[in-house]
Amino acid sequence: MAERVQQPPAKRLCCRPGYSTTCRQGQRAGGTVCGGSGSGQGGSSKTQSPESLLDIAARKVAEKWPFQRVEERFERIPEPVQRRIVYWSFPRSEREICMYSSFNTGGEESASSGESVDETRLPFRRGIALLESGCVDNVLQVGFHLSGTVTEPATSSEPEMVCSVAISFDRCKITSVTCGCGNKDIFYCAHVVALSLYRVRRPEQVKLHLPISETLFQMNRDQLQKFVQYLITVHHTEVLPTAQKLADEILSQNSEINQVHGAPDPTAGASVDDENCWHLDEEQVQEQVKLFLSQGGYHGSGKQLNLLFSKVREMLKMRDSNGARMLTLITEQFMADPRLALWRQQGTTMTDKYRQLWDELGALWMCIVLNPHCKTEQKAAWLRQLKKWNSVDVCPLEDGNHGNELPNLTNALPQGAHGNQDSGTRPHRTVFTRAIEACDLHWQDSHLQHIINDDLYTNYCYHDNTENSLFDSRGWPLWHEHVPTACARVDALRSHGYPREALRLAIAIVNTLRRQQQKQLELFRNHKKDLLHKGVTSITNLEGWVGHPLDPIGTLFSTLMETGRGDEDGSQGGFLDFSASTMSSSKHSELHLFPSTRRFLEEGESYLALAVETALMGLGQQRIMPDGLYAQEKVCHNEEHLIAKLQEVDLDDTLVKIFRKQAVFLLEGGPYSGLGELIYRESVPMHTFAKYLFTCLLPHDAELAYKIALRAMRLPVLESTAPSGDMSRPHHIVSVVPNRYPRWFTLSHIESQQCELASTMLTAAKGDARRLETVLESIQKNIHSSSHIFKLAQDAFKIATLMDSLPDITLLKVSLELGLQVMRMTLSTLNWRRREMVRWLVTCATEVGVYALDSIMQSWFTLFTPTEATSIVATTVMSNSTIVRLHLDCHQQENLASSARTLALQCAMKDPQNCALSALTLCEKDHIAFETAYQIVLDAATTGMSYTQLFTIARYMEHRGYPMRAYKLATLAMAHLNLSYNQDTHPAINDVLWACALSHSLGKNELAAIIPLVVKSVKCATVLSDILRRCTLTTPGMVALHSRRNSGKLMSLDKAPLRQLLDATIGAYINTTHSRLTHISPRHYSEFIEFLSKARETFLMAHDGHIQFTQFIDNLKQIYKGKKKLMMLVRERFG
């Protein structure tokens, strides 16, 4: 609260004895009665005298009448009467003071925010501490003005501070505050709280004076002059300029001050025309909201804004007019948020948390315009303001960024014939649209008035059994209205402090829903055969109740649950009879809270049971998935939130009966139920709800639990639409818009919930072969995601192989079957988890038994790629760990190995490039199979295999002791290779060197055969010189094979095959030199000189090499004489 040091000017002029004062409305529950009866202000004794008629009358006047009106009505008001009116005009309830001095009032908000709040730091708590520690002093009440000083004790970092506090009040409301602490906040500071509570708790210690104008009237001229002069003397530095100015104006005959009768009095209270409301600093509210919005969700700003919304709801519940004022200020700042225009311009979406704040804003406006005591002119003003905001381009839409063109359903009620005409044609529905539509609603319907005001409103002789009858067969009242709208009324009643009335209407709505459910069931049973045959039905639920912007089911559930727990404050009764309202702050148990309302509950039924049944009806409603990401996410979140609330309820026999009853309704409810036989393609899936129902029903009725869960497994949006009259499908799917594939942004979440439902059933069905088979069929039919089926397979495997029990072979087979389905689904698609899936399947098959392993190898081509089958499946099957795990005898081992070899050969034939080496490895112990695999490699070498693959197999052959076969494959590989002059770091160089070394070790003939291949394939001079050097060090066929000392003659460089290699090497150096000189830069000169040095070493290996190299250098000097610096370096090194 931006508490100003200067007191605001007086609101009215006083010119005669008496003064005007305004008084507040009646107090609410929780108020502290201050002041005793008669003149005994406070009455602290244990026995109190009856209140005097003067005090009773003065208190009523102080609460409700502006004193100016009293003053105008009576010529003379005795001073004792004035004193008692002034006395009773100060607030007597600490509840409002608490509300205006902190976000948190009693822990409700801190609990909902999930964070602990240090209550001692709240202004209200600090104010109490200051009061109780004796820090309040110099308290003085002059008329309707309270002043005093509050001493803030010194701390380690701050010195003691004395704050001057002034409070104006009127009709039991604080209308303005000032404090010397300079506090800048929305709410009152601790010093204002301390002074206020001092007056509430210790009224007998406060010296009370009549307004200063009354005192001045009693003075003669000399006394008035003395009074003024003393006042100026005491405060001459502050008031002297003002005093002189006023004196000049008063002495001037034509001055403005002399044209007005009377003079202002800051202690005389407000005038009749002033609005009577608690002090709220509008500027600070705007500044704080603007600050929170600018922080963009950081630093807890979202939480702070939610706390402001909670404060608005708290004000509404206290029937405080500032609730609407405060929400108006908040809304203006939200609409002025520059991010709205930026997001609209960029086409980006607002964050979820920010979106939720807008939703709460719209819901609060809905509550405000549905205030049952709202005046017509006030509602008209709100409607104008809402329409103004609604017309702004950047106003957020109701369902996020998606424009919903649903008709105006809010006014689809008996009294709404004259509803808002332009809203049906509005292209988009904004967050304010529903509040605008709600402005056309009224509370004058006589049936509605009877429902909310009369616990005895029944008609046991009423036999009208039509769809819109006003009573059910029991004579209990019903309320037929668009369900979200009807529930918005309930929320409005609760929000404005009418819990009893809200409860009555909620019960009537729930009984209406029950009756409708029964009627729908009967209708479907009568037309079931025809509807199922045609496969068509009317759309009854364009708007779902769960996920609806008005949250109708959540409202009904909360109203009934809070009543059942005794959470509602029963003090706010008296919907229409203002004078008959009884005030009580005590909370009651369910048995005693609104006992007469229990007339409309079944025998033995509780509010809690009714709440649970309502939630089940709402969650089971078949409803269309809305358009837009935000609206779809909201459906999921609201459903999960409601189920979480249900999970907090302990099931007893009564609730189990309700679960059974609703489960049967849902299964047999046809198109009205999300679990009925007839379902729309775009209906919201029931997986999450069915999982909750399954868990609850399983211990009590397993058959019903499985029926519910199995029915809910379907996900028709991923299936093609069944044509009309197609009786081959057990559950018909009706497309609302047949030619449109819906955009389900939450599909991944929905599929995960479907998977969770299936996993829950698998876990529960362990040990029951019949159930497991049924669940497996449902999974295979309804789940379309390979990753989810794989998860289910893994879950089943874990459950089947728990350490504390023997493996469940039936569940293992289910796991294997699901794994096989995953293999088939992902065989021809890319999946980054594919290798993990294959390895897991082999592990699962191993647990099932040897026949399962043999089976997957027999049908490998439908499950695996050739690479997977050889490198993972067959290799794992033939490993020692598998043999030990299965306890196989020799015969079984051989059969399994035979299947693995057959698989390997088939894979090698299908994909020799990737499977040949694995096939050779797997067939090592079987000569015929190994030869077959080798022949496959030879057949594929000339066509489909690369030199890298061939070199790898060749090295394997050498390693296994087949050097000639290795040599053969190496020569085939060389035919595929091509190394250019500059590829001196190519990865195949090591393979070339190895092939040459292998040939050299085999003998002169093999070396002579491979050198032409090397000369043809390799053009890199350094590689060729390396091969040449190695071939001249040892005699072919001696060292490499037998590791014995060389005893033969070295090969001559003048004869074949080395002569051919030497010539090729020299030629490669010459060509490489010219190539490098074409684009050489000075920084590479030294490197080039080193290259020539290596070239000279090769040249000198020839008989006439010296001459050749000299000619080569001379030739370079002539051709590249323009590169003077380089040629100078060549001459320095080579002459």
Side-chain angles (χ1 to χ4, degrees):
M1 176 87 38
E3 290 144 358
R4 298 167 294 278
V5 176
Q6 292 298 322
Q7 182 74 17
K11 297 183 179 179
R12 71 183 184 91
L13 303 177
C14 299
C15 59
R16 58 182 295 276
Y19 51 91
S20 176
T21 162
T22 51
C23 330
R24 68 162 295 185
Q25 295 176 355
Q27 293 300 306
R28 291 162 186 75
T32 302
V33 178
C34 59
S37 59
S39 59
Q41 302 180 359
S44 59
S45 61
K46 292 184 180 179
T47 59
Q48 295 183 356
S49 303
E51 211 171 5
S52 69
L53 184 59
L54 170 60
D55 270 308
I56 294 172
R59 188 172 70 249
K60 290 299 180 183
V61 169
E63 289 174 356
K64 297 182 179 296
W65 284 37
F67 190 74
Q68 185 178 6
R69 187 164 296 161
V70 178
E71 187 180 51
E72 290 169 353
R73 182 167 181 178
F74 302 101
E75 274 190 38
R76 181 177 177 278
I77 304 171
E79 184 174 319
V81 176
Q82 293 186 42
R83 286 184 177 276
R84 299 317 294 164
I85 292 176
V86 170
Y87 173 85
W88 287 112
S89 291
F90 195 84
R92 299 187 292 279
S93 169
E94 295 185 8
R95 188 173 175 184
E96 281 95 342
I97 296 170
C98 179
M99 182 173 72
Y100 278 93
S101 58
S102 57
F103 272 126
N104 183 281
T105 56
E108 179 183 344
E109 291 145 2
S110 63
S112 63
S113 67
E115 297 182 17
S116 59
V117 177
D118 183 4
E119 290 199 357
T120 60
R121 295 175 60 85
L122 297 174
F124 185 73
R125 297 297 177 191
R126 287 180 51 230
I128 291 176
L130 290 171
L131 173 63
E132 292 176 346
S133 58
C135 297
V136 181
D137 201 5
N138 303 319
V139 182
L140 176 67
Q141 181 177 341
V142 179
F144 296 86
H145 185 274
L146 183 71
S147 62
T149 58
V150 180
T151 304
E152 188 81 54
T155 63
S156 57
S157 58
E158 297 289 339
E160 180 181 278
M161 179 174 65
V162 178
C163 300
S164 297
V165 183
I167 299 173
S168 295
F169 52 92
D170 176 35
R171 272 177 281 178
C172 299
K173 295 179 182 177
I174 292 175
T175 56
S176 71
V177 298
T178 60
C179 181
C181 69
N183 177 52
K184 295 281 186 181
D185 200 356
I186 294 176
F187 301 116
Y188 304 164
C189 67
H191 313 111
V192 170
V193 171
L195 181 61
S196 302
L197 295 184
Y198 187 97
R199 173 62 176 79
V200 172
R201 296 184 180 184
R202 307 171 187 174
E204 71 283 353
Q205 298 180 20
V206 178
K207 193 170 183 180
L208 188 148
H209 299 271
L210 293 178
I212 194 67
S213 56
E214 176 67 21
T215 305
L216 293 176
F217 181 78
Q218 298 173 10
M219 297 181 186
N220 58 33
R221 185 193 177 287
D222 292 339
Q223 289 173 321
L224 283 172
Q225 182 165 358
K226 184 177 290 188
F227 170 78
V228 173
Q229 288 183 217
Y230 267 98
L231 181 63
I232 294 172
T233 301
V234 174
H235 300 287
H236 66 279
T237 55
E238 292 91 355
V239 304
L240 188 57
T242 305
Q244 186 60 55
K245 179 183 176 184
L246 288 173
D248 292 342
E249 290 185 11
I250 289 173
L251 292 174
S252 173
Q253 206 62 22
N254 299 322
S255 65
E256 183 179 349
I257 200 171
N258 284 322
Q259 306 304 314
V260 179
H261 188 57
D265 180 0
T267 67
S271 67
V272 174
D273 299 328
D274 287 334
E275 185 180 359
N276 179 231
C277 59
W278 285 75
H279 174 62
L280 179 70
D281 193 318
E282 297 187 358
E283 182 182 346
Q284 275 303 304
V285 172
Q286 292 173 316
E287 287 299 317
Q288 291 286 331
V289 174
K290 187 175 181 180
L291 174 64
F292 293 149
L293 288 173
S294 69
Q295 291 173 347
Y298 300 104
H299 314 296
S301 58
K303 175 192 168 187
Q304 296 296 320
L305 288 168
N306 274 317
L307 289 175
L308 276 178
F309 287 143
S310 297
K311 184 59 65 178
V312 172
R313 284 195 177 273
E314 187 183 354
M315 290 175 174
L316 295 181
K317 198 165 187 176
M318 299 280 283
R319 305 176 196 171
D320 188 330
S321 61
N322 277 340
R325 281 179 64 202
M326 189 167 177
L327 187 62
T328 302
L329 298 171
I330 293 172
T331 307
E332 287 173 349
Q333 292 305 307
F334 266 72
M335 290 299 296
D337 190 344
R339 291 179 297 173
L340 290 177
L342 184 64
W343 286 331
R344 176 64 62 89
Q345 186 180 14
Q346 296 175 344
T348 54
T349 59
M350 61 178 70
T351 63
D352 280 352
K353 287 185 178 179
Y354 190 57
R355 175 71 244 185
Q356 289 163 12
L357 293 172
W358 274 103
D359 278 356
E360 179 65 5
L361 203 63
L364 281 170
W365 274 114
M366 188 82 175
C367 283
I368 284 174
V369 300
L370 279 177
N371 181 354
H373 281 172
C374 177
K375 295 179 181 177
T376 305
E377 57 271 21
Q378 180 64 76
K379 185 181 285 190
W382 287 333
L383 179 59
R384 287 193 298 272
Q385 184 64 68
L386 288 167
K387 284 185 173 181
K388 178 182 176 183
W389 291 327
N390 190 68
S391 64
V392 178
D393 287 342
V394 296
C395 184
L397 303 178
E398 181 179 73
D399 55 351
N401 289 330
H402 209 91
N404 193 347
E405 298 184 14
L406 286 174
N408 178 355
L409 295 180
T410 303
N411 286 324
L413 64 154
Q415 56 171 281
H418 60 285
N420 205 12
Q421 296 300 315
D422 65 337
S423 62
T425 59
R426 191 179 294 117
H428 300 304
R429 296 176 66 85
T430 74
V431 292
F432 301 116
T433 301
R434 293 186 185 274
I436 291 171
E437 293 170 354
C439 288
D440 290 323
L441 301 178
H442 59 77
W443 296 86
Q444 278 73 49
D445 184 277
S446 60
H447 182 58
L448 177 62
Q449 286 292 311
H450 282 301
I451 289 174
I452 60 181
N453 285 310
D454 190 357
D455 287 325
L456 303 176
Y457 184 48
T458 54
N459 190 334
Y460 297 110
C461 300
Y462 194 86
H463 298 297
D464 183 5
N465 201 31
T466 61
E467 185 178 346
N468 293 320
S469 58
L470 300 181
F471 299 88
D472 62 15
S473 57
R474 299 166 298 188
W476 295 357
L478 304 174
W479 179 242
H480 296 280
E481 186 175 30
H482 176 235
V483 174
T485 305
C487 295
R489 292 184 186 272
V490 175
D491 190 30
L493 289 170
R494 288 174 65 216
S495 298
H496 289 282
Y498 302 101
R500 185 190 299 268
E501 290 78 3
L503 178 62
R504 291 176 184 138
L505 182 56
I507 292 174
I509 294 170
V510 173
N511 285 331
T512 307
L513 295 180
R514 282 169 155 176
R515 182 173 181 273
Q516 287 176 350
Q517 188 183 52
Q518 184 63 46
K519 291 283 184 185
Q520 289 167 351
L521 180 61
E522 292 170 3
L523 177 65
F524 179 66
R525 282 174 175 170
N526 294 335
H527 301 87
K528 180 176 180 180
K529 187 175 180 180
D530 185 48
L531 285 173
L532 288 179
H533 178 72
K534 291 181 179 178
V536 293
T537 187
S538 60
I539 300 172
T540 58
N541 301 316
L542 280 176
E543 282 187 310
W545 299 334
V546 175
H548 192 279
L550 299 179
D551 191 20
I553 299 300
T555 298
L556 293 176
F557 183 79
S558 299
T559 303
L560 294 167
M561 286 293 289
E562 288 171 3
T563 306
R565 291 194 302 257
D567 284 355
E568 283 285 9
D569 186 346
S571 64
Q572 306 294 341
F575 175 66
L576 290 178
D577 185 4
F578 292 92
S579 61
S581 289
T582 56
M583 307 303 166
S584 168
S585 63
S586 60
K587 294 185 177 180
H588 308 277
S589 67
E590 183 174 344
L591 292 175
H592 302 291
L593 186 66
F594 312 150
S596 55
T597 316
R598 296 178 60 82
R599 175 186 301 274
F600 300 118
L601 297 179
E602 297 280 2
E603 186 176 350
E605 189 176 45
S606 64
Y607 292 122
L608 184 145
L610 196 62
V612 169
E613 185 170 10
T614 304
L616 296 180
M617 284 192 288
L619 289 166
Q621 177 207 32
Q622 184 175 174
R623 51 200 184 270
I624 303 301
M625 179 67 79
D627 292 328
L629 170 62
Y630 180 73
Q632 292 176 13
E633 286 182 339
K634 195 169 185 178
V635 168
C636 296
H637 292 158
N638 281 29
E639 180 183 41
E640 290 166 1
H641 178 73
L642 193 53
I643 289 174
K645 292 289 185 184
L646 284 171
Q647 287 171 334
E648 297 174 2
V649 179
D650 296 327
L651 295 188
D652 55 19
D653 291 341
T654 303
L655 291 180
V656 170
K657 287 180 183 177
I658 291 173
F659 269 78
R660 278 197 172 117
K661 174 184 132 184
Q662 283 300 319
V664 172
F665 270 132
L666 291 171
L667 288 172
E668 299 180 2
Y672 307 99
S673 163
L675 291 166
E677 290 182 68
L678 204 60
I679 186 173
Y680 311 120
R681 182 165 175 246
E682 294 89 353
S683 287
V684 174
M686 296 282 114
H687 307 128
T688 308
F689 178 44
K691 178 186 170 186
Y692 168 70
L693 284 179
F694 178 82
T695 306
C696 293
L697 285 170
L698 190 63
H700 309 284
D701 192 338
E703 190 67 30
L704 185 58
Y706 276 99
K707 281 183 181 179
I708 287 283
L710 290 169
R711 177 72 64 82
M713 275 292 291
R714 59 197 173 185
L715 187 53
V717 74
L718 296 181
E719 300 171 7
S720 59
T721 305
S724 298
D726 182 3
M727 295 303 291
S728 63
R729 299 180 66 86
H731 304 301
H732 293 263
I733 300 166
V734 180
S735 178
V736 178
V737 188
N739 298 322
R740 175 178 67 89
Y741 186 80
R743 293 188 67 191
W744 282 28
F745 299 95
T746 55
L747 188 58
S748 61
H749 173 75
I750 289 168
E751 286 187 285
S752 68
Q753 292 302 304
Q754 183 189 35
C755 179
E756 287 294 323
L757 173 60
S759 180
T760 303
M761 283 196 287
L762 284 175
T763 305
K766 181 179 180 180
D768 188 330
R770 182 179 66 85
R771 297 257 193 238
L772 284 173
E773 183 180 355
T774 308
V775 175
L776 175 61
E777 289 175 359
S778 179
I779 292 171
Q780 291 175 323
K781 175 187 174 183
N782 294 299
I783 297 186
H784 305 278
S785 164
S786 59
S787 59
H788 287 128
I789 296 177
F790 182 51
K791 180 185 181 301
L792 288 172
Q794 290 178 305
D795 290 348
F797 183 79
K798 290 174 185 175
I799 299 164
T801 57
L802 292 174
M803 296 297 292
D804 58 350
S805 60
L806 293 172
D808 185 322
I809 191 64
T810 307
L811 194 51
L812 273 176
K813 288 179 180 178
V814 169
S815 176
L816 178 64
E817 192 61 41
L818 291 173
L820 294 174
Q821 183 178 349
V822 173
M823 291 297 101
R824 288 188 285 266
M825 291 174 70
T826 58
L827 179 59
S828 58
T829 59
L830 294 175
N831 192 305
W832 64 275
R833 299 185 65 191
R834 175 74 185 177
R835 287 185 66 84
E836 177 194 352
M837 293 173 174
V838 174
R839 292 183 188 280
W840 177 87
L841 183 72
V842 177
T843 302
C844 182
T846 304
E847 288 296 323
V848 174
V850 65
Y851 69 90
L853 287 174
D854 191 59
S855 175
I856 65 173
M857 287 194 292
Q858 294 288 342
S859 57
W860 70 267
F861 48 88
T862 65
L863 303 172
F864 315 108
T865 64
T867 306
E868 293 168 346
T870 53
S871 64
I872 301 176
V873 180
T875 303
T876 307
V877 167
M878 295 186 67
S879 66
N880 288 330
S881 60
T882 302
I883 294 170
V884 173
R885 181 76 182 87
L886 293 173
H887 308 291
L888 301 179
D889 57 30
C890 294
H891 178 68
Q892 290 174 317
Q893 289 182 38
E894 180 53 36
N895 286 340
L896 207 57
S898 176
S899 296
R901 288 192 292 268
T902 302
L903 176 150
L905 293 175
Q906 291 173 347
C907 292
M909 288 286 289
K910 191 174 182 68
D911 185 7
Q913 295 92 336
N914 298 310
C915 301
L917 180 58
S918 297
L920 287 167
T921 305
L922 290 166
C923 296
E924 283 178 356
K925 295 182 180 179
D926 187 287
H927 177 70
I928 296 175
F930 187 81
E931 290 299 320
T932 304
Y934 177 65
Q935 190 57 47
I936 291 171
V937 174
L938 292 179
D939 292 343
T942 56
T943 54
M945 298 187 74
S946 68
Y947 63 84
T948 304
Q949 294 162 338
L950 289 170
F951 274 131
T952 302
I953 297 172
R955 286 178 178 257
Y956 161 79
M957 283 295 188
E958 185 197 26
H959 178 68
R960 302 308 297 173
Y962 298 103
M964 289 306 297
R965 290 184 175 184
Y967 168 76
K968 174 66 175 173
L969 292 171
T971 58
L972 292 172
M974 288 297 298
H976 293 286
L977 181 64
N978 183 23
L979 284 180
S980 62
Y981 76 93
N982 60 349
Q983 291 182 294
D984 51 359
T985 58
H986 195 280
I989 291 174
N990 286 333
D991 289 323
V992 174
L993 295 175
W994 168 82
C996 291
L998 175 64
S999 304
H1000 189 273
S1001 67
L1002 291 175
K1004 183 177 180 180
N1005 292 336
E1006 287 77 9
L1007 182 62
I1010 204 169
I1011 282 178
L1013 295 174
V1014 172
V1015 170
K1016 182 180 178 182
S1017 302
V1018 180
K1019 307 302 180 186
C1020 182
T1022 54
V1023 176
L1024 289 172
S1025 64
D1026 194 7
I1027 296 171
L1028 181 63
R1029 182 181 56 79
R1030 294 182 185 215
C1031 289
T1032 58
L1033 293 178
T1034 58
T1035 303
M1038 300 298 293
V1039 176
L1041 284 178
H1042 309 293
S1043 300
R1044 292 201 297 254
R1045 198 178 179 90
N1046 183 21
S1047 58
K1049 292 183 179 180
L1050 296 175
M1051 293 182 68
S1052 171
L1053 290 171
D1054 293 332
K1055 298 178 181 179
L1058 293 190
R1059 181 67 195 186
Q1060 184 183 3
L1061 181 58
L1062 176 60
D1063 291 343
T1065 306
I1066 291 173
Y1069 269 117
I1070 292 172
N1071 291 334
T1072 303
T1073 299
H1074 288 295
S1075 296
R1076 293 182 70 168
L1077 283 171
T1078 304
H1079 302 292
I1080 196 168
S1081 61
R1083 68 174 182 274
H1084 294 134
Y1085 284 175
S1086 59
E1087 180 186 334
F1088 177 73
I1089 297 299
E1090 295 302 319
F1091 175 77
L1092 286 181
S1093 299
K1094 292 180 180 179
R1096 181 170 61 179
E1097 293 175 4
T1098 303
F1099 272 85
L1100 293 179
M1101 294 176 75
H1103 178 68
D1104 55 350
H1106 179 73
I1107 297 172
Q1108 287 187 53
F1109 185 72
T1110 302
Q1111 290 175 349
F1112 173 55
I1113 293 298
D1114 291 341
N1115 195 23
L1116 290 180
K1117 293 175 186 177
Q1118 184 62 33
I1119 296 173
Y1120 302 102
K1121 59 185 177 181
K1123 299 181 185 295
K1124 296 180 180 179
K1125 185 176 181 181
L1126 178 59
M1127 291 304 109
M1128 182 182 70
L1129 294 173
V1130 170
R1131 279 193 295 273
E1132 286 178 1
R1133 177 67 71 91
F1134 306 109

